Amino acid sequence: MAIPLHALAHRPLTAEDVAEFVALPFVPHVPDDVEAVDEEIRRRGWHWEQELVNDSFRTAGEHVLCCDGISPFGSPDARYFLVFGEMYPVDPDDESRSNDAWLSGYMDGWRQLPGWSTRERCTDQDCESVLTQAAQAVTECLCAAARRTIVSCATVVTGPALTHRIWRTPTHALVLGPSADNGPYGYLTHLQLSCTPLACGPDLPPAGDEDGLAGWITAHVDW
């Protein structure tokens, strides 16, 4: 049964977007200095982004990138995520389903990003289509299919369970799926690709261990 959403905004990922993202921990180091970072983001055609996610960037591909330090360049121990979609789920406890008005303004910033498209009154299956397309871009970039796939709501505050896909490089975990955006009440939800050092949890649980996989995903995504 399809689960309703108020809105979904997204911009497709390409293999080139993914390649730039997963290379960030290994590019020449740029120190945590605003002027130095500003010079590098101008060189890449990026922009600062302070409205949609605090202390983040908009890449040349118009996705929103966040890092747990000031500089996202050449920090192999840092955590990163790249947002390519934003969904506004319907609150199942709101019988009138009229709760969309109070958060629509927060969605406007995502709707208005260059190259992003919006679907109104859609369902979780629209999100799954966006995630499937993004997974194809990651697979093309890494020349490998996801190591694990699980449907879970472990990383969201509210909203439907959606598919998470996990890849691993020799040093990092890549997790593609939904995650709470930590805005008002954590209600809106990112569709994102995370890149996190494997030191957070090097051993990947077996495919049938849903609880273990949900915990592994949370350890790498929730920061």
Side-chain angles (χ1 to χ4, degrees):
M1 179 179 176
I3 300 173
L5 306 175
H6 291 301
L8 167 66
H10 77 101
R11 180 178 173 93
L13 281 182
T14 67
E16 291 76 16
D17 296 326
V18 177
E20 179 184 46
F21 177 64
V22 300
L24 287 174
F26 310 105
V27 299
H29 179 66
V30 175
D32 283 342
D33 173 81
V34 172
E35 290 187 2
V37 173
D38 192 52
E39 181 178 349
E40 179 62 14
I41 68 170
R42 285 201 306 268
R43 187 187 71 80
R44 289 173 175 259
W46 292 16
H47 304 278
W48 295 98
E49 175 56 65
Q50 301 293 345
E51 298 296 326
L52 300 175
V53 180
N54 287 339
D55 300 322
S56 64
F57 307 91
R58 275 192 292 122
T59 68
E62 296 296 344
H63 301 109
V64 175
L65 183 142
C66 189
C67 176
D68 60 0
I70 295 174
S71 171
F73 306 113
S75 299
D77 295 328
R79 297 183 178 211
Y80 302 81
F81 65 83
L82 184 70
V83 182
F84 55 88
E86 189 80 358
M87 72 168 181
Y88 183 179
V90 168
D91 183 351
D93 296 324
D94 181 359
E95 294 181 1
S96 69
R97 295 183 178 175
S98 62
N99 58 313
D100 56 322
W102 71 285
L103 279 179
S104 288
Y106 287 93
M107 281 295 293
D108 286 344
W110 297 97
R111 291 183 178 106
Q112 294 164 7
L113 286 173
W116 283 55
S117 60
T118 304
R119 304 177 194 181
E120 306 286 349
R121 306 294 175 181
C122 52
T123 74
D124 60 327
Q125 295 308 302
D126 294 288
C127 289
E128 291 289 13
S129 296
V130 171
L131 290 169
T132 296
Q133 185 280 325
Q136 292 169 349
V138 179
T139 295
E140 180 182 348
C141 174
L142 300 181
C143 299
R147 296 280 298 276
R148 299 285 189 274
T149 300
I150 179 176
V151 176
S152 174
C153 57
T155 58
V156 301
V157 174
T158 189
L162 294 172
T163 302
H164 296 259
R165 295 172 175 87
I166 300 168
W167 290 259
R168 288 202 310 178
T169 71
T171 57
H172 284 73
L174 300 175
V175 180
L176 179 78
S179 183
D181 81 342
N182 295 320
Y185 304 100
Y187 199 86
L188 300 183
T189 302
H190 298 324
L191 302 182
Q192 66 179 40
L193 178 63
S194 300
C195 181
T196 311
L198 281 174
C200 295
D203 296 325
L204 189 58
D209 183 0
E210 293 189 0
D211 289 341
L213 283 170
W216 194 93
I217 289 169
T218 300
H220 288 82
V221 172
D222 189 14
W223 51 276

